[in-house]
Amino acid sequence: QYKDAALAAPNAGDLVLALRIAAASLGKAAENQPYIEVAWTYPGQSRSGLRTTGGVVREMIDASLRSILVVGYAVTVDSQFARLASQTIAAMSRAAERGVAVTVVLHRLANRNAITRAWRAGVPRPDFYTWPPDNEDGMTSIHAKLLVVDRRDALVTSANLTRHGFEKNLEMGVRVTGAP
């Protein structure tokens, strides 16, 4: 096909121009497509080619410029604030310190307390929202796990913001980066 195109072109300059236009068009189309990747939590050693949930989440938070939205069911922190879930909350706190607006939607008030325990002193707290208890059905809950950064980078995952969700369970999520 390239040989036919080369023979059909009036001259080499026209062929070069057509190829440059085609390459630029392809590049522009690729820029507008979302980038999609998988994030995993799995017990044991890291595996080549797999991105961890905790690593992806902290990468997203560290790159935030304007806003972070966290939706989750369970949040826990360890007493030393050394595990991955605690490190993630510390990353959110650093983002807030940079002026990023942090909004957190959680299942219950206890989850809010876990975040505030790990939050840096003097840093503006997130805007918190919790699911109201349903007196008729005690099982009703926010069960979604979602992180959206700057309205252009989103992770939908099964992992809670807990040690098990980030280190021990087998969890999976999909990250989509690009224009809404």
Side-chain angles (χ1 to χ4, degrees):
Q1 292 180 355
Y2 292 109
K3 183 179 176 185
D4 293 341
L7 293 174
N11 61 56
D14 288 347
L15 179 60
V16 168
L17 179 61
L19 290 173
R20 285 184 177 162
I21 291 170
S25 297
L26 183 61
K28 198 65 165 166
E31 285 176 13
N32 294 326
Q33 296 299 311
Y35 177 74
I36 299 171
E37 69 177 316
V38 174
W40 289 90
T41 298
Y42 42 86
Q45 298 297 320
S46 296
R47 292 173 176 92
S48 179
L50 294 178
R51 308 262 332 265
T52 64
T53 302
V56 168
V57 166
R58 282 184 309 285
E59 175 182 284
M60 293 170 66
I61 291 168
D62 288 346
S64 64
L65 299 172
R66 293 178 306 284
S67 63
I68 296 172
L69 169 65
V70 177
V71 179
Y73 176 78
V75 179
T76 59
V77 294
D78 61 284
S79 61
Q80 301 299 313
F81 303 118
R83 308 298 302 190
L84 295 180
S86 297
Q87 291 172 14
T88 301
I89 294 168
M92 288 191 302
S93 181
R94 288 190 302 275
E97 195 169 32
R98 295 192 315 269
V100 175
V102 179
T103 303
V104 182
V105 181
L106 300 167
H107 173 61
R108 294 287 183 254
L109 188 59
N111 296 311
R112 175 185 173 165
N113 296 338
I115 290 175
T116 56
R117 278 196 314 275
W119 207 259
R120 293 172 63 156
V123 175
R125 300 272 192 237
D127 289 328
F128 284 103
Y129 299 91
T130 56
W131 187 258
D134 183 338
N135 294 331
E136 294 178 21
D137 184 354
M139 296 297 291
T140 302
S141 66
I142 288 181
H143 201 254
K145 292 92 175 180
L146 173 71
L147 171 67
V148 181
V149 172
D150 295 335
R151 300 183 64 178
R152 298 186 59 81
D153 197 357
L155 175 67
V156 179
T157 180
S158 62
N160 286 304
L161 186 51
T162 64
R163 178 178 180 216
H164 283 91
F166 275 35
E167 298 180 46
K168 295 292 184 180
N169 293 346
L170 181 59
E171 307 279 0
M172 186 173 80
V174 176
R175 179 183 182 184
V176 180
T177 306

